[in-house]
Amino acid sequence: MSDRILIHLPEFYEQIDDFKQLASTESVELILVKEASSKLLNNQFVMTADLPTIARVERLLNIQADPGTETIEFRRRRIVNRFQTKPPFTVRYLQQLLDALVGDGLTVVSIDNQNFVLTVTVEIENASVFREVIYTINKVKPANMVYRQNTAVSNGLRLKESISRRPVTWNYKLDGSWKLGEKAFASVGQEVPFV
């Protein structure tokens, strides 16, 4: 085993016992590092993960495994199936969800890819439907995107303009003759429409 290290050193080190022992120890450490890195790489993927990693992923997915009756291969396939049944985020998928929830043509989903902004323009009059839309968007959208809500109004708005005035009478003069707190500083009259 010490040949792993000694082949990289000059030949005269092969005659020294200290270097032989050092090379042997380092070879063992290199083998352990290689095994640990292989294990780490294998645990990154469900189909090659070891049993403790599979158990941890099952806990994350709230899967109650029965190790007595279920094989490790079945448990791996079940985890992969759970991950595959969760739909990925696409604009089309979110649009279909919102159309089913609110109604066809009442929502428009758009994405600004450069700024990671998800904009949903929606026409909703019901508050409970609006809360469900917010919940659905937050459940489906990726964590790195910012959700921006635009509200649309299809029927338009009616505005009415009017002007009125209200006379103000000041109860105190700045000549020193007033007593603080005796009266209000000003009295406001009744509102009169301005013609």
Side-chain angles (χ1 to χ4, degrees):
M1 285 194 6
S2 63
D3 292 342
R4 254 184 122 142
I5 300 295
L6 287 177
I7 60 171
H8 298 291
L9 297 175
E11 289 181 18
F12 63 87
Y13 286 112
E14 293 177 11
Q15 311 307 324
I16 303 171
D17 288 337
D18 289 343
F19 278 98
K20 287 181 185 177
Q21 289 298 322
L22 185 62
S24 176
T25 304
E26 287 178 354
S27 294
V28 170
E29 292 295 323
L30 286 174
I31 290 170
L32 291 175
V33 166
K34 183 179 179 185
E35 289 172 358
S37 64
S38 294
K39 181 179 177 181
L40 179 67
L41 179 65
N42 288 338
N43 284 339
Q44 298 297 313
F45 304 99
V46 174
M47 297 310 286
T48 58
D50 59 3
L51 193 56
T53 305
I54 293 294
R56 188 178 80 240
V57 173
E58 285 174 337
R59 281 192 308 273
L60 289 173
L61 294 174
N62 293 323
I63 297 173
Q64 294 293 326
D66 184 8
T69 59
E70 298 172 350
T71 64
I72 187 82
E73 288 79 20
F74 170 74
R75 292 168 69 183
R76 286 178 176 152
R77 284 196 315 269
R78 179 172 49 197
I79 290 171
V80 169
N81 183 51
R82 295 283 175 100
F83 283 134
Q84 288 176 343
T85 56
K86 293 182 181 185
F89 173 76
T90 61
V91 175
R92 181 180 294 166
Y93 176 72
L94 181 59
Q95 185 72 55
Q96 288 172 348
L97 282 178
L98 294 178
D99 284 345
L101 190 61
V102 178
D104 288 339
L106 296 177
T107 60
V108 176
V109 178
S110 61
I111 294 180
D112 180 4
N113 290 322
Q114 296 291 54
N115 297 318
F116 300 100
V117 175
L118 169 69
T119 304
V120 177
T121 305
V122 62
E123 177 188 342
I124 300 176
E125 295 177 6
N126 189 340
S128 60
V129 174
F130 183 73
R131 282 192 299 273
E132 189 62 27
V133 166
I134 299 274
Y135 173 81
T136 303
I137 291 170
N138 287 329
K139 197 74 172 165
V140 172
K141 80 171 184 64
N144 68 339
M145 296 193 86
V146 176
Y147 166 58
R148 184 184 307 155
Q149 173 66 42
N150 282 343
T151 305
V153 179
S154 65
N155 297 337
L157 297 173
R158 283 189 236 162
L159 299 176
K160 181 180 177 184
E161 183 179 332
S162 66
I163 299 175
S164 60
R165 65 184 181 102
R166 185 177 277 191
V168 176
T169 306
W170 296 100
N171 297 324
Y172 293 108
K173 307 268 189 245
L174 290 177
D175 60 1
S177 63
W178 57 277
K179 294 181 181 165
L180 183 62
E182 190 175 281
K183 298 182 199 175
F185 282 108
S187 301
V188 180
Q190 194 157 12
E191 188 172 317
V192 179
F194 191 75
V195 186

